[in-house]
Amino acid sequence: MTRVLVVDDQPLVRQAVRDILIDGGIEVVGEAANGREAVAAVHATTPDVVVMDIRMPELDGIAATAQIMSAPLATTTRVLILTTFEEDDYVVAALRAGASGFIGKGAEPDDIVSAVRVIHRGEALLSSAATRSLIERSVLPQHPRADAWLREPLRRLTEREREVLLLVAGGSSNQDIAEGLVISPHTAKTHVNRIMSKFHARDRAQLVIQAYESGLVIPSSRADQRG
């Protein structure tokens, strides 16, 4: 059973999310009202997923996510950001800090349960157009002066891996990639895993961020301006 820690500074929100998850067959191992409590609770309970609010007192969700993901327990714990969708810059910062995706506070109960399970499986919530639009609006490509840690893995990608990374950045699933490149889903998954290894990325969320920041992908609005 998926084990979850719910983090939000509003008691009513915590209770609502807790009830939704329990009704969906997910175990809630604890709650936290701020980032400091969240970090401590992760060490105490080792949850599979942390459902994390962004704006909180003492330590916000971005800083808490960074601390959680930099700890040894990060090999098993993943973070799902709970947002109002009015916090674009904050959400992208949280993804950079190691979060695996985000979902809105107004989402349907079944969608919240599904999101937690997707994150627990090691996937990322990046398939929606809203997510791609968010990253396009908020991530400024650094190409051609991207940091060396981004340039080096980009140089080590094969042509096929570049194709796959572009598709991942566009929100394609492994099945989509397989159909688009006429390869098997297993081969598509292998390519994605190799790319993640080269970029030292935990999941697709990190790959998408790095694809934009390395300059491999240019946001469509900026590409239009350049054209």
Side-chain angles (χ1 to χ4, degrees), residues 60-79:
D60 65 28
I62 298 170
T65 295
Q67 289 190 25
I68 290 168
M69 301 313 296
S70 64
L73 293 176
T75 56
T76 58
T77 298
R78 294 180 179 273
V79 175

Side-chain angles (χ1 to χ4, degrees), residues 51-102:
V51 178
M52 180 80 75
D53 187 24
I54 292 181
R55 296 184 181 181
M56 296 181 293
E58 295 193 37
L59 189 70
D60 65 28
I62 298 170
T65 295
Q67 289 190 25
I68 290 168
M69 301 313 296
S70 64
L73 293 176
T75 56
T76 58
T77 298
R78 294 180 179 273
V79 175
L80 172 67
I81 295 297
L82 193 64
T83 175
T84 62
F85 287 109
E86 297 174 351
E87 306 167 312
D88 286 4
D89 293 341
Y90 292 100
V91 173
V92 172
L95 292 174
R96 284 197 184 102
S100 294
F102 66 86

Side-chain angles (χ1 to χ4, degrees), residues 6-29:
V6 178
V7 184
D8 196 290
D9 63 332
Q10 299 182 47
L12 288 178
V13 174
R14 291 200 307 273
Q15 184 62 50
V17 174
R18 181 188 185 99
D19 292 346
I20 287 170
L21 295 176
I22 291 174
D23 288 346
I26 290 174
E27 180 183 1
V28 177
V29 298

